[in-house]
Amino acid sequence: MPLTEGKMTDTPSKKTAMLNHIAQTLSISTHPDDMEREDMERSKDGQSAPVPFKILAGRSNPPLAREIADVLGIPLMAATVDRFNDGEINIQLGESVRNVHVFVVQSTCMPVNDNLFELFLLIRCLRRASAKSITAVMPYYGYARQDRKTTARVPISASDVSMLLEAAGVDRMLSVDLHCGQIQGFFHHAPVDNLHAFVQHVPYLVKEIVPSFGDNPIAIVSPDAGGVARAKMFMEAMSGMNVSNISLAITIKHRRAAGEIEAMNIVGEIKGKHCIIVDDMIDTAGTLCKAADSLTEMGALSVSACCTHALFSGPALERIGACSLVHVIVSDTIPMKQNVAPGSMAEKAVKEKIKLVSCARLLSQAILSINTGTSVSNLFAVKPR
């Protein structure tokens, strides 16, 4: 039976009335002008409108997480991250994260495995709590040095960690100075932003240390061939801040075993120059201190170091205190050791040589860019302090 004209016009009006009733109940505007205005606001200046986001801190580096939150002007998310009596990790979120972007700040430093599994459980907890997206903010990416098979029957642990995090449900990864760039390719689904600490280190160095060099030339020293690109970027950044008479050198190490240097050669001219060793991390400081002493013996006027991750394992602080290094500039991607013996070389290193330059502002700017959908490329340029 054909529909009557009355029924054909009545049905749309009923639907419209129903939609308007639902919209009023939910306080949603369905007027075309209002919807267009919202779209314009969302796309203003080519940026996505900011959405709610929260900072969740793991237990690996609470001071850095608090500083990031302070820079962003928001409190850290309420959460319990503790241990049960038998050593199992106890996690409970103290507030809702439904439809919220959450940034989890957790370096996988010592104890590496505990911090890594804690990060895994935090991501799983957020995923089950319906977070809109989860970004793992890993200032220091543990297992990064195991990035390839150097001998038979060994894992590629850097890749396996990325698989673990993606399996947990991470949507994005933010880190500082990955040990090698190919780690970004180990994440098949989650984009990776790898920031560089020299953006913060170079302005500090130029302002606080370079003036003491006078008019003497400067040599930026890479500790190995793999670090030449990093040292070159460092040199170019210093040149961009009007530091002249600067060159590049490379150390060639002959290892007896992992962490043990048998001999060292230098490629480049360092005699009569102030040397700055640039590296991504300091572990036991054996290589760094050997390089510093070798450069001094070869005629360097002074030797300083700029390194991102201060692991300071084993005798690292004692070695730094006893060697010829004058300044050691590091980031706070890993919390600094505080329990040093009074009067020891370790205390000398902490009080006289080590200078801490925070990366909290750099990470905060990256978090804001990720949250608003804007480019992070400006974070790779050095800005005067």
Side-chain angles (χ1 to χ4, degrees), residues 3 26 33 53 87 105 116 129 157 187 192 197 206 231 234 260 293 296 304 339-340 343-344 348 354 364 379:
L3 293 172
L26 299 176
D33 291 342
F53 74 97
V105 182
L116 177 59
S157 303
F187 288 82
V192 178
V206 171
F234 196 96
E260 295 183 29
D293 293 339
T296 302
S304 299
N339 54 338
V340 293
S344 65
K348 178 182 178 181
I354 297 173
S364 301
L379 300 181

Short mmCIF file of all heavy atoms in Angstrom, two decimals, residues 3 26 33 53 87 105 116 129 157 187 192 197 206 231 234 260 293 296 304 339-340 343-344 348 354 364 379:
data_model
loop_
_atom_site.label_atom_id
_atom_site.label_comp_id
_atom_site.label_asym_id
_atom_site.label_seq_id
_atom_site.Cartn_x
_atom_site.Cartn_y
_atom_site.Cartn_z
N LEU A 3 2.49 4.91 0.62
CA LEU A 3 2.45 5.81 1.76
C LEU A 3 1.73 7.09 1.38
O LEU A 3 1.83 7.59 0.26
CB LEU A 3 3.88 6.16 2.22
CG LEU A 3 4.67 5.02 2.81
CD1 LEU A 3 6.11 5.47 3.02
CD2 LEU A 3 4.06 4.57 4.12
N LEU A 26 21.25 16.10 26.66
CA LEU A 26 22.70 15.96 26.82
C LEU A 26 23.44 17.28 26.71
O LEU A 26 24.67 17.31 26.74
CB LEU A 26 23.24 15.00 25.75
CG LEU A 26 22.70 13.57 25.78
CD1 LEU A 26 23.25 12.78 24.62
CD2 LEU A 26 23.05 12.89 27.09
N ASP A 33 25.44 26.33 12.69
CA ASP A 33 26.43 27.38 12.97
C ASP A 33 27.31 27.03 14.16
O ASP A 33 28.51 27.27 14.15
CB ASP A 33 25.71 28.72 13.25
CG ASP A 33 25.04 29.27 11.99
OD1 ASP A 33 25.41 28.81 10.89
OD2 ASP A 33 24.14 30.13 12.12
N PHE A 53 44.52 15.68 29.47
CA PHE A 53 45.63 14.76 29.59
C PHE A 53 46.13 14.77 31.02
O PHE A 53 45.94 15.75 31.76
CB PHE A 53 46.76 15.10 28.60
CG PHE A 53 47.57 16.31 28.96
CD1 PHE A 53 48.78 16.20 29.63
CD2 PHE A 53 47.13 17.59 28.60
CE1 PHE A 53 49.54 17.32 29.95
CE2 PHE A 53 47.89 18.71 28.92
CZ PHE A 53 49.09 18.57 29.59
N GLY A 87 56.61 -8.88 47.42
CA GLY A 87 57.43 -8.26 46.38
C GLY A 87 56.71 -7.97 45.08
O GLY A 87 57.26 -7.31 44.20
N VAL A 105 55.44 8.54 32.95
CA VAL A 105 56.86 8.87 33.06
C VAL A 105 57.58 7.76 33.82
O VAL A 105 57.35 7.56 35.02
CB VAL A 105 57.07 10.22 33.77
CG1 VAL A 105 58.55 10.58 33.83
CG2 VAL A 105 56.28 11.33 33.07
N LEU A 116 60.93 -1.87 34.35
CA LEU A 116 60.34 -2.22 33.07
C LEU A 116 59.00 -2.92 33.27
O LEU A 116 58.00 -2.58 32.61
CB LEU A 116 61.29 -3.13 32.29
CG LEU A 116 60.78 -3.65 30.93
CD1 LEU A 116 60.45 -2.49 30.00
CD2 LEU A 116 61.81 -4.57 30.29
N ALA A 129 41.47 0.62 32.02
CA ALA A 129 40.66 1.71 32.58
C ALA A 129 40.14 2.65 31.49
O ALA A 129 39.62 3.73 31.79
CB ALA A 129 41.48 2.49 33.59
N SER A 157 67.59 -7.52 22.60
CA SER A 157 66.73 -7.12 23.71
C SER A 157 66.05 -5.78 23.49
O SER A 157 64.91 -5.57 23.95
CB SER A 157 67.54 -7.07 25.01
OG SER A 157 68.13 -8.33 25.25
N PHE A 187 59.67 -0.29 16.95
CA PHE A 187 58.24 -0.10 17.25
C PHE A 187 57.48 -0.08 15.92
O PHE A 187 57.66 0.82 15.11
CB PHE A 187 58.03 1.22 17.99
CG PHE A 187 58.51 1.22 19.41
CD1 PHE A 187 59.84 1.44 19.71
CD2 PHE A 187 57.63 0.99 20.46
CE1 PHE A 187 60.29 1.44 21.02
CE2 PHE A 187 58.07 0.98 21.78
CZ PHE A 187 59.40 1.20 22.06
N VAL A 192 57.55 6.99 17.55
CA VAL A 192 58.59 7.26 18.54
C VAL A 192 59.16 8.66 18.31
O VAL A 192 59.54 9.00 17.19
CB VAL A 192 59.73 6.22 18.47
CG1 VAL A 192 60.83 6.54 19.48
CG2 VAL A 192 59.19 4.81 18.69
N ALA A 197 69.27 15.67 24.22
CA ALA A 197 69.58 16.47 25.41
C ALA A 197 70.52 17.62 25.11
O ALA A 197 70.59 18.57 25.88
CB ALA A 197 70.16 15.58 26.50
N VAL A 206 77.76 26.79 26.88
CA VAL A 206 78.23 28.06 26.29
C VAL A 206 78.17 29.19 27.32
O VAL A 206 79.06 30.05 27.35
CB VAL A 206 77.38 28.41 25.05
CG1 VAL A 206 77.68 29.82 24.55
CG2 VAL A 206 77.64 27.39 23.94
N ALA A 231 78.19 13.83 17.94
CA ALA A 231 79.20 14.85 18.19
C ALA A 231 79.14 15.96 17.15
O ALA A 231 79.34 17.15 17.46
CB ALA A 231 80.60 14.20 18.19
N PHE A 234 76.33 18.25 17.99
CA PHE A 234 76.74 19.05 19.15
C PHE A 234 77.64 20.20 18.70
O PHE A 234 77.46 21.34 19.13
CB PHE A 234 77.48 18.14 20.14
CG PHE A 234 77.62 18.71 21.52
CD1 PHE A 234 76.71 18.38 22.51
CD2 PHE A 234 78.66 19.57 21.83
CE1 PHE A 234 76.84 18.89 23.79
CE2 PHE A 234 78.80 20.09 23.11
CZ PHE A 234 77.88 19.75 24.09
N GLU A 260 86.26 -2.85 29.47
CA GLU A 260 87.70 -2.80 29.74
C GLU A 260 88.44 -2.34 28.48
O GLU A 260 88.39 -2.99 27.44
CB GLU A 260 88.22 -4.19 30.15
CG GLU A 260 87.65 -4.69 31.46
CD GLU A 260 88.24 -6.03 31.87
OE1 GLU A 260 89.42 -6.30 31.49
OE2 GLU A 260 87.55 -6.82 32.53
N ASP A 293 91.96 10.86 30.42
CA ASP A 293 93.38 10.81 30.77
C ASP A 293 94.28 10.74 29.53
O ASP A 293 95.34 11.38 29.48
CB ASP A 293 93.66 9.60 31.68
CG ASP A 293 93.00 9.75 33.05
OD1 ASP A 293 92.69 10.90 33.43
OD2 ASP A 293 92.79 8.73 33.73
N THR A 296 94.43 14.18 27.94
CA THR A 296 95.30 15.06 28.73
C THR A 296 96.77 14.76 28.46
O THR A 296 97.59 15.67 28.30
CB THR A 296 95.00 14.89 30.24
OG1 THR A 296 93.62 15.19 30.47
CG2 THR A 296 95.86 15.82 31.07
N SER A 304 86.42 17.99 29.41
CA SER A 304 85.10 17.94 30.03
C SER A 304 84.26 16.91 29.28
O SER A 304 84.67 16.40 28.24
CB SER A 304 84.42 19.32 29.98
OG SER A 304 85.19 20.29 30.67
N ASN A 339 73.92 8.77 48.08
CA ASN A 339 74.62 8.14 49.21
C ASN A 339 76.09 7.91 48.89
O ASN A 339 76.52 6.80 48.56
CB ASN A 339 73.93 6.81 49.58
CG ASN A 339 73.79 5.88 48.40
OD1 ASN A 339 73.82 6.32 47.25
ND2 ASN A 339 73.63 4.59 48.67
N VAL A 340 76.88 8.98 48.97
CA VAL A 340 78.32 8.86 48.74
C VAL A 340 79.05 9.09 50.05
O VAL A 340 78.60 9.86 50.91
CB VAL A 340 78.80 9.87 47.67
CG1 VAL A 340 78.23 9.52 46.31
CG2 VAL A 340 78.43 11.29 48.05
N GLY A 343 84.28 12.66 52.05
CA GLY A 343 85.72 12.66 51.83
C GLY A 343 86.20 11.74 50.74
O GLY A 343 87.42 11.66 50.49
N SER A 344 85.30 11.02 50.08
CA SER A 344 85.70 10.07 49.03
C SER A 344 85.80 10.77 47.68
O SER A 344 85.38 11.91 47.50
CB SER A 344 84.67 8.94 48.94
OG SER A 344 83.41 9.45 48.51
N LYS A 348 83.81 14.00 45.77
CA LYS A 348 84.47 15.04 44.97
C LYS A 348 83.81 15.15 43.60
O LYS A 348 83.60 16.26 43.08
CB LYS A 348 85.95 14.70 44.81
CG LYS A 348 86.71 15.71 43.96
CD LYS A 348 88.18 15.30 43.78
CE LYS A 348 88.90 16.30 42.87
NZ LYS A 348 90.32 15.92 42.66
N ILE A 354 80.36 17.15 38.63
CA ILE A 354 79.11 16.81 37.94
C ILE A 354 78.13 17.98 38.00
O ILE A 354 77.83 18.51 39.07
CB ILE A 354 78.48 15.54 38.54
CG1 ILE A 354 79.42 14.35 38.32
CG2 ILE A 354 77.12 15.27 37.92
CD1 ILE A 354 78.99 13.08 39.02
N SER A 364 58.41 18.38 28.67
CA SER A 364 57.12 19.05 28.82
C SER A 364 56.65 19.64 27.51
O SER A 364 55.47 19.54 27.15
CB SER A 364 57.21 20.14 29.89
OG SER A 364 57.61 19.61 31.13
N LEU A 379 61.77 21.34 18.66
CA LEU A 379 62.46 20.91 19.87
C LEU A 379 63.86 20.38 19.58
O LEU A 379 64.60 20.07 20.51
CB LEU A 379 61.64 19.84 20.60
CG LEU A 379 60.24 20.25 21.04
CD1 LEU A 379 59.56 19.10 21.78
CD2 LEU A 379 60.28 21.48 21.93
#
